[in-house]
Amino acid sequence: MGAASDDAVKQLALLMDQVEAPLRRTFQNVHQGYPKETLLRFLKAREWNVSKAHKMLVDSLNWRIQNEIDTVLERPIVPVDLYRSIRDSQLVGLSGYTKEGLPVFAVGVGQSTYDKASVHYYVQSHIQINEYRDRVILPMLTEKFGRPVTTCVKVLDMTGLKLSALSQMKMLTSISTVDDLNYPEKTETYYVVNVPYIFSACWKVVKPLLQERTKKKVKVLHGCGRDELLKIMDYSSLPHFCRREGSGSSKHSSTDADDCYSLDHPFHKELYGHIEELASCKELIKMGSLHVSIPEPDPDDAKIVEVIQAEFQKIGEQNGSANGHKV
């Protein structure tokens, strides 16, 4: 870090020392003993503008308080069959770790249907995974390696991406807005695999709109990306859809123990067990979904969503239909 970066961190730290006690308490849950790294993330997200980074961080802390995010891991999604249906339709999981010790999260972008529960449950589940990553997994890795481990990598599987995904745009925008404004710079690299034409077409028009630091994070790989991913992780950490070239991705193509999306995978078993254990310590388990307020997206992000929607519609018109056929 240069002198200017150091100075920005010091300025932001001084501003955070002046916030009210409730904000300081929730900030501790965010930084997990590493405030400098957290301040750096928010500064990067606002291009090193201290004032904007301070506003972003304070807004995020207020969002956490207003939506009871600090206790979200004490609220299991019950019954377990409902949670299983969420896992079957919101495909995400921890497949392993990179050689440098970063968690590898797999996301089935193309095959997630988000059609088994209300939007509130999907947002709640997404936030629970974020919080479990930040408050359990990353601190465990930090202790293991003796250095701060505060980020992850994500492998985005585009298998099955269709024009009908346009109907899920509101859901995806809600989740990405929560991440952008409250969990900024948590992902080192996005590896995109199994890319169909529809993604390539959208990427071509969206890429010029992205900030340079974001563009550098996105790596579109050939096929399932196995050979490239093996440079940064062992075979055992590859997501199940990257293990055989040409096999494509299917949530039904491997055993439940290998399928990191499945509730029967060790990661989801541990996550759900952790939430149940925390809940059992409380006298009253809050039932029902957590209704989290979704912040307004940044204008630049909103513009990107509009561009994606327009591109989807254009492709649909070129194909004579937007009824969900693969393209």
Side-chain angles (χ1 to χ4, degrees), residues 4-5 17 54 71 73 84 163 190 197 202 244 298 307 311:
S5 303
D17 285 341
H54 177 246
T71 57
L73 290 177
R84 184 178 291 278
L163 290 170
Y190 297 90
Y197 167 75
C202 285
R244 272 196 304 129
D298 284 345
V307 169
E311 190 65 22

Side-chain angles (χ1 to χ4, degrees), residues 1-103:
M1 250 188 2
S5 303
D6 279 330
D7 190 47
V9 170
K10 289 176 184 175
Q11 289 180 50
L12 184 53
L14 286 173
L15 290 172
M16 292 308 298
D17 285 341
Q18 299 168 26
V19 300
E20 296 175 354
L23 293 181
R24 287 201 300 273
R25 281 195 296 271
T26 197
F27 185 46
Q28 289 175 348
N29 261 336
V30 174
H31 68 61
Q32 290 291 313
Y34 293 89
K36 180 180 177 181
E37 284 72 16
T38 299
L39 298 177
L40 275 170
R41 289 193 295 105
F42 280 83
L43 283 163
K44 286 179 184 177
R46 287 297 176 261
E47 304 296 326
W48 301 98
N49 183 307
V50 175
S51 176
K52 289 181 179 179
H54 177 246
K55 182 183 185 304
M56 182 186 189
L57 181 47
V58 169
D59 285 348
S60 176
L61 297 178
N62 278 316
W63 173 82
R64 293 181 67 88
I65 292 170
Q66 291 160 9
N67 293 281
E68 302 180 359
I69 302 301
D70 288 342
T71 57
V72 72
L73 290 177
E74 299 166 9
R75 296 189 58 162
I77 295 175
V78 289
V80 70
D81 284 349
L82 171 60
Y83 189 70
R84 184 178 291 278
S85 67
I86 289 171
R87 293 280 57 83
D88 286 342
S89 54
Q90 182 182 34
L91 305 181
V92 59
L94 177 71
S95 67
Y97 303 88
T98 69
K99 293 174 182 177
E100 294 183 348
L102 300 185

Side-chain angles (χ1 to χ4, degrees), residues 130-197:
N130 280 355
E131 292 293 310
Y132 187 74
R133 174 196 65 194
D134 295 351
R135 288 153 63 179
V136 177
I137 294 174
L138 294 177
M140 176 190 70
L141 293 171
T142 293
E143 184 176 351
K144 176 181 177 181
F145 293 106
R147 57 176 169 78
V149 180
T150 59
T151 57
C152 67
V153 301
K154 291 183 178 177
V155 183
L156 309 181
D157 180 24
M158 296 294 165
T159 298
L161 188 66
K162 305 174 185 178
L163 290 170
S164 57
L166 194 61
S167 65
Q168 300 161 14
M169 195 62 70
K170 184 176 180 181
M171 170 77 73
L172 296 173
T173 301
S174 296
I175 288 174
S176 66
T177 300
V178 165
D179 280 355
D180 291 344
L181 297 183
N182 300 289
Y183 303 92
E185 300 295 316
K186 294 298 295 189
T187 304
E188 286 283 319
T189 311
Y190 297 90
Y191 296 98
V192 188
V193 302
N194 295 320
V195 174
Y197 167 75

Side-chain angles (χ1 to χ4, degrees), residues 95-313:
S95 67
Y97 303 88
T98 69
K99 293 174 182 177
E100 294 183 348
L102 300 185
V104 178
F105 281 90
V107 185
V109 178
Q111 293 184 328
S112 292
T113 55
Y114 299 102
D115 60 352
K116 305 295 184 185
S118 72
V119 61
H120 304 293
Y121 277 120
Y122 286 115
V123 172
Q124 176 179 345
S125 176
H126 179 80
I127 291 172
Q128 285 178 330
I129 291 174
N130 280 355
E131 292 293 310
Y132 187 74
R133 174 196 65 194
D134 295 351
R135 288 153 63 179
V136 177
I137 294 174
L138 294 177
M140 176 190 70
L141 293 171
T142 293
E143 184 176 351
K144 176 181 177 181
F145 293 106
R147 57 176 169 78
V149 180
T150 59
T151 57
C152 67
V153 301
K154 291 183 178 177
V155 183
L156 309 181
D157 180 24
M158 296 294 165
T159 298
L161 188 66
K162 305 174 185 178
L163 290 170
S164 57
L166 194 61
S167 65
Q168 300 161 14
M169 195 62 70
K170 184 176 180 181
M171 170 77 73
L172 296 173
T173 301
S174 296
I175 288 174
S176 66
T177 300
V178 165
D179 280 355
D180 291 344
L181 297 183
N182 300 289
Y183 303 92
E185 300 295 316
K186 294 298 295 189
T187 304
E188 286 283 319
T189 311
Y190 297 90
Y191 296 98
V192 188
V193 302
N194 295 320
V195 174
Y197 167 75
I198 191 171
F199 174 84
S200 301
C202 285
W203 180 239
K204 192 182 298 182
V205 296
V206 167
K207 188 175 180 181
L209 303 177
L210 300 176
Q211 294 175 331
E212 199 57 39
R213 63 183 169 77
T214 304
K215 275 189 269 193
K216 288 179 179 177
K217 285 184 176 190
V218 180
K219 299 188 183 301
V220 181
L221 305 184
H222 175 72
C224 72
R226 181 191 60 188
D227 294 341
E228 284 297 309
L229 291 173
L230 283 175
K231 295 175 183 178
I232 64 161
M233 68 184 75
D234 294 331
Y235 183 85
S236 60
S237 289
L238 284 177
H240 58 281
F241 51 80
C242 296
R243 294 192 177 184
R244 272 196 304 129
E245 192 68 57
S247 65
S249 166
S250 169
K251 55 190 174 182
H252 304 299
S253 65
S254 56
T255 66
D256 287 340
D258 290 332
D259 184 347
C260 64
Y261 300 149
S262 169
L263 180 54
D264 297 310
H265 186 271
F267 166 69
H268 282 297
K269 282 185 173 180
E270 290 165 13
L271 167 60
Y272 199 73
H274 179 80
I275 294 172
E276 283 191 313
E277 183 180 352
L278 290 182
S280 69
C281 297
K282 302 297 177 183
E283 291 183 6
L284 177 66
I285 296 177
K286 293 182 178 179
M287 305 295 284
S289 60
L290 180 70
H291 286 230
V292 174
S293 61
I294 307 300
E296 284 295 316
D298 284 345
D300 289 345
D301 294 335
K303 181 181 178 183
I304 289 171
V305 171
E306 289 176 9
V307 169
I308 293 172
Q309 290 174 324
E311 190 65 22
F312 267 55
Q313 288 166 353

